[in-house]
């Protein structure tokens, strides 16, 4: 859900913009501003991948169709900082060129769809990987758990923003129940697709997956044995 | 996403109008100023929204934006229209019977406000995208102190978007010609296999682009897109945000 202009009030839109700019600056610093410039082609291609992966529509029951949000997927594949920057770029372009998501609501959309999955979602992924065995199954289980949770957390962030800036348009409890209810279902789909996608990359190029560092040797060994 | 995103080529149409010739930096600033005025307007100030609609209409006519294109691009806000239409039934406060159904008056006003503001915002942004070349928008963002790394990432993303989307299309055709066209939940596997392959191919393409750039003498510093720092002319574009803020302030004071 790309929030349009005027869904939340001006103050919270501006505040979210300031937070989003701060988080982007922090990601730029963490990703290494200088080396990042030389990696701009790579990151741009990853952003183009996220953009087109979001076009992979698949029909869901009831005549509606769903698509991947891809926040956690990008974070697991290229790391949280680059993943967050790629998603931020996708959202800026979607907003300015495709009018998808309001320009004044860009901060809100960047928080919900870039930083919540990349930071909170990837944090959970990292924790889960520490608990789970360092194996293909372990990485995929951690991905499934974090992908599901990142969608629910994004819905929770939306509800929180609505409670702050929604001017009481609807009872917050109703919005919370509706958003969380719908996004538990969406989260299951997101977890399924994200996990299988990571599995597909693990099978062909495990070395490319940032979140699976440390297991590629085993994967290559088992491939040789097979 | 309603499948409307296919190519960035179809967004901008080069025409020789006053709106097209305004500098992209000025347009971006004016768009943000205009949208903030719209967002800050209380929902019950109906005349103010008519004034905003008139301002957007003047810009759209000035840019010779066809109504059909505008209508098609407005479809993107449908998910929130659905949300807004539910509000009269879930809203709180005093209720009134309309056609035998009791609806919340507050809910109606909020639904109106969301629809009006989202439509104005989308329409104003469509005018920007219609009348501005993509490199000019990126150049404008750079002049507004957007870090160059972000505009560089965006430039590479836009440059290769059509290639990656074409690749996605070919992967899907290849999958279908293998008679791999599952229904229900099993689609998940097919979609994921396609997405996984697409990632590997995008990443490898990125590596190739990077290596080709190194071979051509890329040192890790991107050439700046700035060609010149000509002073910005704010007239007449600034009339839009100024008029909008004047209307918004009157509506807020009342």
């Amino acid at each position: 859900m790309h929030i349009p202009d005027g869904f939340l009030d001006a103050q919270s839109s501006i505040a979210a913009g300031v937070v989003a700019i701060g988080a982007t600056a922090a990601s730029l610093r963490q990703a290494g501003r200088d080396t990042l410039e030389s990696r701009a082609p790579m990151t741009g291609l990853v952003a183009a991948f996220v953009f087109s992966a979001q076009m992979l529509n698949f029909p869901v029951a009831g005549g509606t169709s769903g698509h991947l949000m891809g926040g956690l997927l990008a974070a697991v594949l290229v790391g949280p900082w680059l993943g967050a920057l790629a998603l931020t770029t996708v959202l800026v372009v979607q907003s300015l060129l495709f009018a998808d998501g309001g320009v004044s609501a860009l901060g809100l959309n960047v928080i919900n769809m870039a930083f919540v999955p990349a930071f909170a979602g990837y944090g959970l992924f990292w924790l889960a990987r520490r608990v789970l065995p360092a194996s293909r199954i372990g990485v995929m289980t951690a991905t499934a758990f974090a992908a599901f949770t990142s969608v629910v957390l994004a819905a929770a962030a939306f509800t929180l923003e609505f409670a702050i800036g929604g001017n009481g348009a609807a009872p917050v409890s109703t919005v919370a129940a509706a958003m969380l209810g719908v996004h538990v279902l969406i989260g299951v789909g997101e977890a399924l697709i994200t996990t299988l996608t990571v599995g597909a990359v693990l099978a062909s190029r495990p070395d490319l997956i940032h979140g699976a560092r440390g297991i590629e040797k085993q994967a290559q060994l088992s491939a040789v044995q097979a | 996403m309603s499948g409307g995103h296919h190519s960035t080529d179809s967004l901008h149409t080069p025409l020789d109008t006053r709106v097209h010739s305004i500098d992209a930096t000025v347009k971006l600033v004016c768009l943000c100023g205009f949208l903030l005025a719209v967002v800050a307007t209380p929902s019950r100030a109906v005349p103010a929204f008519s004034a905003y609609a008139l301002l957007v209409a003047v810009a759209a006519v000035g840019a010779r934006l066809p109504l059909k294109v505008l209508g098609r691009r407005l479809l993107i806000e449908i998910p929130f229209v659905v949300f807004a239409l539910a509000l009269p039934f879930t809203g709180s406060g005093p209720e009134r019977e309309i056609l035998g159904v009791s609806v919340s008056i507050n809910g109606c006003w909020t639904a109106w406000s969301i629809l009006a503001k989202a439509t104005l915002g989308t329409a104003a942004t469509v005018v920007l995208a219609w009348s501005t070349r993509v490199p000019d928008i990126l150049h404008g963002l750079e002049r507004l102190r957007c870090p160059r790394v972000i505009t560089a990432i965006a430039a590479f993303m836009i440059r290769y978007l059509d290639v990656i989307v074409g690749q996605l299309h070919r992967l899907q055709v290849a999958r279908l010609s293998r008679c791999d066209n599952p229904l229900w939940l099993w689609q998940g596997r097919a979609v994921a296999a396609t997405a996984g392959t697409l990632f590997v191919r995008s990443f490898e393409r990125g590596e190739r682009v990077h290596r080709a750039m190194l071979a051509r003498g890329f040192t890790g510093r991107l050439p700046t897109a700035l060609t010149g720092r000509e002073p910005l002319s704010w007239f007449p574009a600034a009339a839009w945000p100024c008029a909008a803020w004047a209307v918004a302030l009157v509506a807020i004071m009342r």
Side-chain angles (χ1 to χ4, degrees):
Chain A
M1 290 270 260
H2 291 59
I3 301 176
D5 291 298
F7 192 72
L8 300 179
D9 63 16
Q11 295 93 312
S12 42
S13 303
I14 294 174
V18 172
V19 172
I21 290 173
T24 309
S27 306
L28 281 172
R29 198 169 310 118
Q30 288 295 324
R33 196 184 267 264
D34 296 326
T35 58
L36 187 63
E37 198 165 326
S38 72
R39 282 185 294 161
M42 288 299 325
T43 318
L45 264 297
V46 170
F49 159 73
V50 173
F51 202 125
S52 36
Q54 289 187 350
M55 285 181 193
L56 271 170
N57 274 302
F58 48 97
V60 186
T64 55
S65 73
H67 71 81
L68 196 67
M69 294 198 222
L72 184 89
L73 179 63
V76 169
L77 290 175
V78 295
W81 311 110
L82 275 190
L85 289 173
L87 266 133
T88 303
T89 314
V90 168
L91 290 166
V92 169
V93 169
Q94 282 175 341
S95 163
L96 281 178
L97 299 185
F98 296 92
D100 194 7
V103 174
S104 67
L106 194 51
L108 297 160
N109 285 323
V110 166
I111 291 175
N112 295 350
M113 286 186 277
F115 289 110
V116 167
F119 294 165
Y122 191 83
L124 291 168
F125 172 81
W126 186 80
L127 283 178
R129 275 224 52 200
R130 298 203 63 157
V131 178
L132 293 164
S135 67
R136 188 184 151 87
I137 300 293
V139 172
M140 287 174 68
T141 313
T143 307
F145 162 69
F148 172 78
T149 323
S150 73
V151 172
V152 177
L153 284 176
F158 174 89
T159 310
L160 185 69
E161 288 154 6
F162 186 81
I164 296 169
N167 288 330
V172 172
S173 55
T174 316
V175 173
M179 281 302 282
L180 292 176
V182 169
H183 282 81
V184 163
L185 288 177
I186 297 178
V188 171
E190 179 90 3
L192 181 77
I193 306 279
T194 304
T195 311
L196 291 173
T197 304
V198 168
V201 182
L202 264 179
S204 55
R205 289 289 304 270
D207 54 310
L208 292 188
I209 304 182
H210 181 275
R213 284 171 308 177
I215 76 156
E216 66 262 47
K217 282 217 176 79
Q218 292 173 342
Q220 274 156 8
L221 269 181
S222 59
V224 168
Q225 281 162 359
Chain B
M1 233 157 288
S2 39
H5 293 175
H6 282 297
S7 161
T8 48
D9 291 342
S10 61
L11 299 176
H12 165 71
T13 304
L15 289 172
D16 187 22
T17 72
R18 283 297 289 276
V19 180
H20 280 69
S21 64
I22 300 169
D23 187 273
T25 320
V26 173
K27 269 192 257 190
L28 283 168
V29 173
C30 292
L31 178 71
C32 290
F34 175 78
L35 289 180
L36 283 176
V38 171
V39 171
T41 308
S43 57
R44 296 185 189 220
V46 179
F49 289 106
S50 330
Y52 300 144
L54 189 67
L55 285 170
V56 175
V58 168
V61 170
R64 283 193 254 139
L65 171 66
L67 207 56
K68 215 170 88 185
V69 174
L70 179 63
R72 200 180 58 225
R73 308 259 335 253
L74 283 176
L75 293 179
I76 208 144
E77 54 169 1
I78 282 181
F80 275 84
V81 173
V82 174
F83 184 95
L85 291 181
L87 287 176
F89 308 102
T90 58
S92 54
E95 304 212 331
R96 188 187 283 174
E97 292 269 322
I98 295 176
L99 299 173
V101 188
S102 83
V103 294
S104 145
I105 295 172
N106 278 343
C108 285
W109 278 113
T110 316
W112 147 255
S113 150
I114 290 173
L115 288 179
K117 290 176 180 177
T119 309
L120 286 166
T122 313
T125 313
V126 170
V127 174
L128 171 86
W130 167 263
S131 66
T132 321
R133 295 190 318 131
V134 173
D136 291 340
I137 292 183
L138 296 178
H139 180 176
L141 287 173
E142 256 179 42
R143 272 193 101 162
L144 296 171
R145 302 291 169 84
C146 174
R148 210 165 57 167
V149 175
I150 298 271
T151 53
I153 294 173
F156 278 105
M157 174 188 143
I158 292 166
R159 198 173 300 164
Y160 285 96
L161 189 58
D162 288 347
V163 177
I164 302 294
V165 172
Q167 183 118 55
L168 174 64
H169 180 67
R170 290 193 292 281
L171 284 170
Q172 283 174 324
V173 169
R175 177 168 60 77
L176 293 179
S177 47
R178 292 192 302 267
C179 298
D180 183 7
N181 189 15
L183 288 173
W184 298 99
L185 267 183
W186 288 270
Q187 284 179 109
R189 217 192 139 69
V191 168
T194 308
T197 314
L198 188 67
F199 170 73
V200 172
R201 293 195 182 177
S202 309
F203 198 96
E204 287 173 347
R205 189 183 295 276
E207 283 179 331
R208 286 203 301 280
V209 170
H210 186 209
R211 276 198 298 256
M213 287 167 66
L214 290 175
R216 291 194 299 263
F218 177 56
T219 53
R221 309 296 300 173
L222 290 160
T224 164
L226 295 178
T227 45
R229 283 206 165 264
E230 66 282 2
L232 302 172
S233 64
W234 292 92
F235 179 81
W240 270 269
C242 292
W245 270 105
V247 171
L249 288 177
V250 171
I252 293 167
M253 300 293 183
R254 255 190 339 139

